[in-house]
């Protein structure tokens, strides 16, 4: 998939092409430009779903996602020493489409932990970003 669409590239404002003669070549160029942008930024810029992306617990109330902006946060699981257990969604919140705050200020007394527990790859996130 490409970041830009063929119809935009062919529009009167850019190339002004109405025929489909060069569509295959133009699509290949759009895909190549997207790959170059991803490589340059070190990120995947298209909207992508990430399932069970593991993170190190920070010991603080903030946990930054690797990819952003996050458009949907589906599941947060915390390793309790034995297994990854889904945390109740009312206890965490996505802020600035970039990091997850845990626990919510109003839920500090109810959440399982008082902050992201420290550990190696002890938090698993499922989300969509891009």
């Amino acid at each position: 998939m490409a970041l830009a669409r063929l119809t935009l590239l062919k529009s009167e404002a850019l190339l002004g092409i109405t025929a489909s003669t060069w569509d295959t070549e133009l699509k290949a160029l759009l895909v190549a430009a997207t790959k170059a942008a991803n490589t340059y930024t070190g990120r995947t810029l298209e909207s992508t779903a990430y399932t069970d992306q593991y993170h190190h617990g920070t010991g603080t109330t903030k946990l930054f996602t690797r990819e952003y902006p996050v458009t949907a946060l589906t599941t947060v699981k915390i390793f309790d020493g034995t297994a990854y257990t889904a945390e109740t969604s009312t206890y965490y919140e996505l802020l600035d489409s970039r990091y997850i705050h845990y626990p919510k200020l109003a839920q500090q007394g109810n959440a399982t932990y008082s902050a992201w527990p420290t550990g190696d790859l002890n938090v698993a996130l499922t989300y969509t970003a891009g």
Side-chain angles (χ1 to χ4, degrees), residues 78-84 113 122:
I78 300 173
F79 189 72
D80 64 8
T82 307
Y84 284 90
Y113 303 96
N122 64 331

Side-chain angles (χ1 to χ4, degrees), residues 7-117:
T7 53
L8 174 63
L9 183 62
K10 290 174 63 175
S11 71
E12 190 64 37
L14 293 177
L15 296 178
I17 298 173
T18 55
S20 59
T21 308
W22 297 100
D23 283 5
T24 302
E25 291 81 359
L26 291 172
K27 286 178 186 176
L29 289 171
L30 287 170
V31 169
T34 298
K35 287 181 181 178
N38 288 341
T39 300
Y40 180 77
T41 61
R43 296 181 45 222
T44 302
L45 300 174
E46 305 100 327
S47 183
T48 305
Y50 299 90
T51 302
D52 286 339
Q53 185 183 72
Y54 295 97
H55 294 259
H56 302 293
T58 61
T60 70
T61 58
K62 289 183 180 181
L63 183 70
F64 287 88
T65 59
R66 289 191 194 102
E67 303 297 331
Y68 57 91
V70 174
T71 55
L73 178 59
T74 309
T75 316
V76 171
K77 294 187 277 187
I78 300 173
F79 189 72
D80 64 8
T82 307
Y84 284 90
T85 304
E87 182 56 278
T88 305
S89 62
T90 56
Y91 298 155
Y92 58 83
E93 61 188 325
L94 177 66
L95 297 176
D96 297 330
S97 301
R98 181 68 175 103
Y99 74 90
I100 305 165
H101 191 273
Y102 175 84
K104 283 185 178 180
L105 294 178
Q107 295 292 337
Q108 290 174 330
N110 299 324
T112 308
Y113 303 96
S114 59
W116 293 108

